[in-house]
Amino acid sequence: MVNGKLSAGFKKGLEDVIAGESKICKVDGKRGRLYYRGYSIEDLSTNCTFEEVTYLLLEGKLPNRKELARFTKELSSMRNLPKYVVEILEEVAHRTTPMEALRTAVSSLAGGDKDVEGITTDYHLAQGKSMVAKFATIVAYYHRINNKMEIVKPDPSLGHAANFLYMVTGKRPSEIEAMAMDQDLVLHAEHSFNASTFAARITVSTLSDMYSAMTTGIGVLKGPLHGGASEAVMRQLQAIGSVEKVEPYVKDALSKHRRMMGIGHRVYKVYDPRARILKKTAERFSKATGDMKWYNIADKIERVMFREKKLYPNVDFFSSIIYNGLGLPLELDSPIFAISRVSGWSAHALEQYGDNRLIRPLDYYTGPIDLKFIPIDERK
Ligand code: SDX
């Protein structure tokens, strides 16, 4: 091992390794540019709803007005959960975190689908749409059950983002609130071969089913080095508590090799374009709610981390401030990432099914070999 990198010219964590071909998303880490199916994230996050972007990811093209209306209606018709899934949530909500409850509930959805093992694109596309629709309901229901509140059934007259806020808070959101939520879902929807997406592709590459692939995605996204960072950011802001305490907190963290959550990225070596957009929304939102505290602390962390480590915020860094402004509980921050990313996972699953080869890399073996076997009674 040389500096944590295996001497076979091998980089740990598949860093910079191209592991497959895809037409879904271009992440340009050097220039800080991001494209879904060729459209820039700036154009998409300014002009499109989450439903429109999900259609783009799944179908490979932007919908016309008629296609979008049909797709939006289809998604909203799939929001309700089978009774047995609600019962499972009632059983597990008080025992698990939201991400664990989401993982359990999504896995159980397979029980209600007689075509789980269906192998055509139509089956997989229908399953993907169903899960895009249902993830939001599962997370909202978890929250209401866990807080001993009556569940709020989906309102088909509301768009996906607005309906999620309604099911969580019980109040129909204002237009500004719905737009902020919608933009956040667009920005988290897809990001090429990130850990959870690649894991979902590996699942599909064995010809396993869509429910397994989405469950894999949730399990991988949960980690604090990935989607779990979203919740960890707000906890970090709360632990710091004031702008004055940022400098000593960050210096202490760096001295102890603790990571500042929401900062840094494996691919972006400049500002994450999503963070740039979310920062503006977080500032606008904080000004509108009159509470600049968290935004100012985050802004200071950003400056100190750039000065100390030349690192930039990533997509998770400002989202938690927006969720806080929307009245969403901190524990839902990471599940909201999953509510959005299920679109990207589904698109990649379809692409993998469509041109599949089992994903099975090699390892660089560094253990012993040809050891002399010792019968158990002769072992010390
Ligand atoms: C997401 O891949 C994707 O596309 C993911 C994602 C998506 O849309 O799917 O963009 C979503 O997961 C965003 C990342 C969320 N995670 C976090 O915010 C957790 C904090 N960030 C880090 O753990 C880290 O930046 C990673 C994991 C995101 C990337 O780490 P790398 O590429 O493995 O970099 P590294 O660990 O090799 O660090 C390189 C250097 C090290 O310094 P030295 O030890 O060499 O001196 O940078 C330092 C690290 O210590 N560093 C940090 C840091 N991130 C890197 N130091 C302090 N705080 C940090 N956050």
Side-chain angles (χ1 to χ4, degrees), residues 31 39 69 72 97 106 150 180 186 231 272 291 304 367:
R31 294 193 305 138
Y39 295 95
T72 301
T97 65
V106 167
E150 193 134 332
V186 167
E231 174 182 336
D272 183 331
D291 178 6
V304 176

Side-chain angles (χ1 to χ4, degrees), residues 43-237:
D43 281 346
L44 294 173
S45 61
T46 311
N47 302 299
C48 294
T49 62
F50 176 67
E51 287 91 331
E52 213 165 340
V53 162
T54 297
Y55 185 100
L56 171 65
L57 292 171
L58 293 177
E59 302 286 357
K61 73 175 192 71
L62 281 171
N64 61 35
R65 202 168 282 286
K66 198 159 153 261
E67 288 164 335
L68 180 58
R70 191 169 59 237
F71 182 70
T72 301
K73 194 162 179 291
E74 187 183 9
L75 277 191
S76 72
S77 73
M78 296 170 148
R79 288 172 180 166
N80 285 310
L81 301 179
K83 188 165 169 294
Y84 77 90
V85 176
V86 180
E87 286 162 358
I88 287 171
L89 283 172
E90 282 162 351
E91 253 327 291
V92 303
H94 310 298
R95 297 177 173 78
T96 58
T97 65
M99 281 298 261
E100 290 155 0
L102 177 64
R103 191 184 59 203
T104 304
V106 167
S107 182
S108 75
L109 285 172
D113 180 345
K114 62 183 180 355
D115 298 316
V116 177
E117 305 300 343
I119 53 167
T120 69
T121 307
D122 288 352
Y123 283 125
H124 298 142
L125 182 56
Q127 289 160 345
K129 289 178 192 172
S130 171
M131 281 188 270
V132 169
K134 290 179 172 63
F135 268 44
T137 310
I138 290 169
V139 173
Y141 279 22
Y142 164 91
H143 169 70
R144 304 290 294 190
I145 292 166
N146 196 34
N147 289 279
K148 298 183 178 42
M149 296 187 280
E150 193 134 332
I151 57 174
V152 176
K153 295 252 177 169
D155 176 347
S157 69
L158 295 175
H160 195 72
N163 179 59
F164 171 65
L165 291 174
Y166 168 61
M167 292 191 295
V168 171
T169 65
K171 289 197 310 300
R172 282 172 178 72
S174 68
E175 199 179 326
I176 293 182
E177 289 168 335
M179 279 172 67
M181 187 75 250
D182 196 81
Q183 182 197 63
D184 184 85
L185 295 180
V186 167
L187 291 163
H188 279 84
E190 162 58 17
H191 213 241
S192 80
F193 280 15
N194 61 85
S196 54
T197 299
F198 190 57
R201 287 190 78 126
I202 293 171
T203 308
V204 159
S205 82
T206 68
L207 296 187
S208 184
D209 63 288
M210 282 288 278
Y211 298 96
S212 299
M214 300 305 113
T215 304
T216 302
I218 297 166
V220 174
L221 185 71
K222 180 173 179 286
L225 293 188
H226 192 10
S230 196
E231 174 182 336
V233 167
M234 185 44 88
R235 291 194 190 287
Q236 179 179 264
L237 298 178

